[in-house]
Amino acid sequence: MVQFDPNVRIGSPSSLPYDPDQDAAEKRDIRKKYRALEKRTGEQLRPQDIMAAELVEQVEEADELFQKVKNPTEATLDSTVLRNVSSISAQKARAMKLGSAAFDIDDFVSKLAIFMGGRHELADDASELDDIGDCVMDWEKVGRRALAKSRRVPVMGFMLGPLSVEQKKRATVKRSKLEKSKEEERKPQEIREEDIQRSENETTKNVIKIREILEESGSVNLFRFVVNPNDFAQSVENIFYLSFLIRDGLCALEIDDSGEPIIFLCEAPSAQDRADGVTCHQIVMEFDMATWKRAIEVFEITESMIPQRPAAKTRLGGKWYG
């Protein structure tokens, strides 16, 4: 990969890991060579179509190209090439053969058990192998054979392998159903239709009422109209009801020369007006407790133009909620 060159002075253009001013012709040449490598190591390439020595050469060629990489685009191409080489190498490793036949793990374990005396080779008239658990395997025998091939000092350790351990079958446990006593069961309160006292549509009634008040007052400051100095909640409700008039085009909002927001009734645009390009706009208005108090102080509001409404109450199942 990237190697440090002591002859390159720190701060010179060739030592910079990232250089946005790298020569365009040099970058095109690097990309061209990377794409050629990527084509030779494509994902559609089969492992048997390429030799291990060729993979090593391609990695070395990619390392040499990476010395000139100064931008993310070329670095991405480098990672793609290495990913393809790694994928092909892994496939070749899985398909690797030892000698004339593939390495069989089960056959190796079986022969290792026979070597340690855990099994006996089949006789001519035998039909099956002896049970592994009938005799104890001689681990020291295979240990002595392994010591002849290793210079490492043997140490104490533990080994729990598959040679003398029977595979345990997982028993299925049937879970009994959770039975609940009927005494603990509780039913929700049943409410009949006649228990709910139906009331008229308060929203529609209040929207009509606010329109009548605005029609009598004419053009008026928005805050002087909607703010109730004695009730913050009803001030919010007044803005809510007023928004229906603005949505339907029955009320307009504009800023006068002094910077005050003024509202007044207007005629809703007809279908022809909308066809001519007339559109209605709405805004999202933030109105919190601080704004309510500030509006009362700035505009000196002492009385609400919209009469105070009584708190709404609902009768539900013999109880009143408000």
Side-chain angles (χ1 to χ4, degrees):
M1 293 304 168
V2 181
Q3 298 179 356
F4 177 72
D5 188 356
N7 298 323
V8 177
R9 184 172 55 88
I10 301 300
S12 62
S14 59
S15 66
L16 295 176
Y18 172 64
D19 183 11
D21 300 326
Q22 187 180 12
D23 184 60
E26 184 180 5
K27 290 194 292 185
R28 285 195 297 269
D29 181 63
I30 295 173
R31 294 176 188 176
K32 180 179 178 181
K33 293 180 180 179
Y34 265 125
R35 291 193 176 97
L37 272 178
E38 184 179 359
K39 186 176 181 180
R40 289 161 53 191
T41 59
E43 295 181 353
Q44 68 276 8
L45 189 67
R46 297 182 302 173
Q48 58 268 28
D49 295 338
I50 188 170
M51 302 297 294
E54 296 178 8
L55 291 176
V56 174
E57 292 178 0
Q58 292 171 4
V59 171
E60 292 176 350
E61 187 175 349
D63 286 345
E64 184 178 353
L65 284 175
F66 192 75
Q67 301 288 344
K68 305 176 183 178
V69 172
K70 303 293 183 181
N71 290 277
T73 304
E74 292 76 27
T76 304
L77 294 174
D78 180 78
S79 63
T80 303
V81 171
L82 292 182
R83 182 195 63 189
N84 293 343
V85 172
S86 301
S87 177
I88 296 174
S89 301
Q91 295 178 31
K92 291 184 69 67
R94 286 193 293 267
M96 184 174 59
K97 295 182 178 180
L98 299 177
S100 59
F103 183 77
D104 190 347
I105 297 178
D106 295 333
D107 184 56
F108 172 76
V109 171
S110 176
K111 291 182 178 180
L112 183 61
I114 293 173
F115 177 77
M116 293 188 296
R119 290 179 179 175
H120 299 284
E121 295 186 5
L122 291 174
D124 295 338
D125 56 348
S127 59
E128 60 181 5
L129 292 173
D130 296 334
D131 189 8
I132 297 178
D134 293 343
C135 57
V136 179
M137 290 180 289
D138 186 5
W139 286 95
E140 295 182 358
K141 184 177 180 181
V142 72
R144 289 190 295 271
R145 179 63 63 90
L147 284 176
K149 306 296 182 181
S150 175
R151 296 181 179 179
R152 180 176 297 179
V153 178
V155 295
M156 294 296 296
F158 299 94
M159 180 175 180
L160 179 62
L163 302 181
S164 60
V165 178
E166 296 182 0
Q167 184 178 4
K168 296 181 179 180
K169 295 183 178 180
R170 187 174 181 179
T172 57
V173 180
K174 294 183 179 180
R175 298 182 179 179
S176 57
K177 295 182 178 179
L178 182 62
E179 297 182 357
K180 296 182 179 180
S181 61
K182 295 184 178 181
E183 298 178 355
E184 298 179 355
E185 295 180 354
R186 296 182 180 180
K187 294 183 179 180
Q189 180 184 1
E190 295 182 0
I191 301 177
R192 297 171 298 179
E193 187 176 358
E194 54 268 19
D195 293 336
I196 303 175
Q197 182 179 0
R198 300 184 180 274
S199 61
E200 57 181 322
N201 193 327
E202 293 292 334
T203 301
T204 303
K205 183 181 70 173
N206 291 328
V207 170
I208 295 174
K209 181 65 176 177
I210 287 180
R211 181 182 179 184
E212 294 175 352
I213 297 173
L214 186 57
E215 187 175 4
E216 295 176 358
S217 62
S219 300
V220 65
N221 181 286
L222 171 64
F223 292 101
R224 289 194 176 94
F225 184 75
V226 299
V227 169
N228 185 335
N230 304 316
D231 196 327
F232 170 72
Q234 289 214 2
S235 300
V236 177
E237 292 177 2
N238 293 340
I239 297 176
F240 171 70
Y241 297 137
L242 181 64
S243 66
F244 286 94
L245 297 178
I246 297 179
R247 182 200 64 182
D248 297 336
L250 299 174
C251 178
L253 169 65
E254 66 178 14
I255 306 299
D256 63 3
D257 297 336
S258 61
E260 293 188 13
I262 304 298
I263 57 173
F264 53 89
L265 289 181
C266 61
E267 293 184 2
S270 61
Q272 183 61 36
D273 295 334
R274 295 184 184 276
D276 294 339
V278 177
T279 58
C280 295
H281 300 278
Q282 290 181 273
I283 61 173
V284 177
M285 179 177 176
E286 180 181 0
F287 190 79
D288 53 9
M289 183 75 73
T291 305
W292 173 69
K293 292 180 180 180
R294 182 62 176 165
I296 296 174
E297 178 183 353
V298 171
F299 298 108
E300 299 179 354
I301 303 173
T302 58
E303 186 178 356
S304 175
M305 293 185 63
I306 302 174
Q308 179 86 15
R309 293 180 296 273
K313 292 185 178 181
T314 304
R315 182 176 181 270
L316 184 63
K319 296 182 180 180
W320 288 90
Y321 298 88

